[in-house]
DNA sequence: CGTGGGTTTGATCCGCATCAACGCAGGTGG
DNA sequence: CCACCTGCGTTGATGCGGATCAAACCCACG
């Protein structure tokens, strides 16, 4: 799954495009859509050669979403998969009494909505305004049959996700609050660009309660741990949503 | 991946069979091995038709192992994948200071040792005496190329594992000790046969400390929770390693 | 019969949750 | 432009669930 519209491309009409039949005269334009997509080299799309892009463009549609918009609901019949082009989403499970556990955050290039069974395993909701690309399940199946590399890519991506899930199991099952937060900050810093001056930093667009729901901690605890890490000189809180890693080795030791 | 020797079949020499070139005269016998395997209909093997079994038999070798035998080590180069034919193994990750988190138990039909990266993501060790089937990574890759259904099967199995891992994340991140144990017992009871009299029961061959390491609890806590569930009439402890589910609804409510 | 690992039970401790209050920023309406 | 409101973040006080420590018990085993 996956493909995407370049961030610099003019917005595609977001209204109910999924129902539109593949119009022949648009094929060329549609090819251009995926070819110029910012996620072209990521997610599922990376499995396809340039010549195979029309297939991709024809079977997928971009969507522009505001923040806090639900995309799929846990348990709902899984009719499509999605690729993130820009923005961030949270994926979470809910217990009957309302407790929520965030199983992951999805950012540019990530794919979500793959279901092992009939229904989605989790709810997906935008954290920031996001652009995502929607591909019906049947189209994905067709893509896999037509382009074997897609299936291999999907397997590789699922394996990486499984490995990440097992790391999270280790974190939740064994680690203390300080260790969890340190691990989280380090993992994020590995995936993000350092500041202009070269020091590593992380961007946290999601509210603290969501970070807590991901790490199995309450927001109060998260706040206290961050203060402790700052007092220890390991990090500096630049703004509410950006943290500079002053001492990666100290975080490493705490994780 | 996967295949296996029927439990009733005479043991195949376990010594260093992986290095043996596929000997032509043995093909017939080797075909029979997988054809009569108790795991034939499970794991990866289920993806193959009878006619494709020789390929499977030629590239895999069964191993008989005593309990508490390590099979693969976390971080070690992943040279092979394994299918469980009988017995049970625990898969776990270890922190530098020795804390361990069991990420799963593998029983008949389960496949383990698939690695997203270069090295194994976890250590695998037998809990009971077990028979497992070993297939070199290169052979698995060849099987996937030659029999596309194998790749599809692998994807399906990995997806199911991912979903299970996310359930475990929910358990570890949100649930209380009583909820964890209840969920665990229910999950096991769904996968096991009821007693002769029809009441559901679960078999727990692993030590309590391992169940605790899976659920993020200490063995003392596990013992107390089981006593509480027994006093509540939800379960009965028949022996140290077998529990009868008296009241599934009560467990359901507690989970 | 003695030994040692796994299990159970009891007593105590501690890390994090919970409860409560306050500061602050952004949005709204006057 | 300002008063008000609302939601997020922070800080402090307190409580509780499960960890830790310690000891007895129970078998399986030699």
């Amino acid at each position: 799954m996956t493909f995407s519209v370049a961030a610099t491309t003019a917005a595609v009409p977001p209204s109910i495009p999924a129902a539109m039949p593949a119009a022949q005269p648009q094929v060329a334009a549609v090819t251009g859509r995926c070819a110029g997509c910012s996620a072209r080299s990521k997610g599922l799309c990376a499995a396809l050669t340039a010549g195979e892009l029309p297939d991709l463009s024809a079977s997928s549609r971009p969507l522009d979403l505001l923040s806090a918009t639900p995309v799929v609901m846990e348990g709902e019949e899984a009719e499509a998969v999605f690729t993130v082009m820009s923005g961030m989403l949270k994926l979470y499970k809910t217990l009957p009494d309302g407790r929520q556990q965030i199983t992951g955050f999805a950012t540019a290039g990530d794919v979500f909505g793959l279901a092992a069974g009939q229904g989605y395993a989790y709810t997906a909701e935008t954290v920031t305004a996001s652009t995502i690309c929607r591909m019906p399940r049947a189209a994905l199946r067709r893509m896999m049959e037509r382009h074997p590399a897609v299936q291999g890519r999907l397997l590789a991506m699922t394996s990486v996700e499984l490995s990440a899930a097992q790391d999270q199991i280790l974190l939740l099952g064994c680690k203390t609050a300080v260790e969890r937060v340190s691990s989280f900050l380090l993992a994020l810093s590995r995936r993000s660009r350092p500041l202009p001056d070269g020091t590593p930093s992380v961007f946290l667009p999601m509210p603290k309660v969501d970070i807590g729901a991901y790490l199995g901690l309450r927001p109060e605890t998260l706040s206290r741990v961050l203060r402790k890490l700052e007092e220890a000189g390991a990090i500096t809180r630049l703004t509410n949503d950006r943290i500079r890693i002053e001492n990666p080795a100290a975080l490493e030791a705490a994780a």
Side-chain angles (χ1 to χ4, degrees), chain A residues 49-112:
Chain A
T49 63
E52 296 165 335
L53 283 189
D55 238 20
L56 192 57
S57 300
S59 52
S60 63
R61 289 290 180 278
L63 298 169
D64 286 315
L65 303 173
L66 298 178
S67 62
T69 307
V71 178
V72 305
M73 295 289 291
E74 182 180 356
E76 183 185 62
E77 192 180 350
E79 291 170 342
V81 298
F82 302 83
T83 300
V84 181
M85 290 184 278
S86 67
M88 178 179 279
L89 296 92
K90 59 177 175 181
L91 315 177
Y92 62 91
K93 286 170 163 284
T94 307
L95 288 176
D97 67 357
R99 281 174 287 176
Q100 294 187 341
Q101 175 65 37
I102 293 181
T103 58
F105 296 100
T107 57
D110 289 339
V111 174
F112 66 92

Side-chain angles (χ1 to χ4, degrees), chain A residues 98-171:
Chain A
R99 281 174 287 176
Q100 294 187 341
Q101 175 65 37
I102 293 181
T103 58
F105 296 100
T107 57
D110 289 339
V111 174
F112 66 92
L114 293 163
Q118 270 298 101
Y120 291 115
Y122 45 73
T123 300
E125 183 181 321
T126 56
V127 168
T128 65
S130 307
T131 305
I132 64 177
C133 205
R134 179 185 197 275
M135 177 183 278
R137 238 187 166 189
L140 175 62
R141 203 176 308 119
R142 193 163 39 76
M143 291 289 291
M144 286 199 294
E145 288 160 5
R146 211 175 291 180
H147 312 290
V150 171
Q151 191 173 36
R153 181 81 183 145
L154 201 50
L155 176 57
M157 293 174 65
T158 305
S159 297
V160 169
E161 265 192 81
L162 176 59
S163 179
Q166 289 171 340
D167 286 341
Q168 193 68 359
I169 285 174
L170 176 66
L171 181 145

Side-chain angles (χ1 to χ4, degrees), chain A residues 217-246:
Chain A
L217 299 172
R218 307 273 103 184
E220 297 96 325
T221 302
L222 183 61
S223 175
R224 281 182 249 267
V225 169
L226 288 176
R227 179 157 59 91
K228 183 181 288 189
L229 289 177
E230 188 162 29
E231 285 168 357
I235 63 172
T236 302
R237 303 165 82 168
L238 303 175
T239 66
N240 187 43
D241 59 5
R242 182 162 291 279
I243 288 177
R244 184 167 60 198
I245 313 278
E246 301 288 355

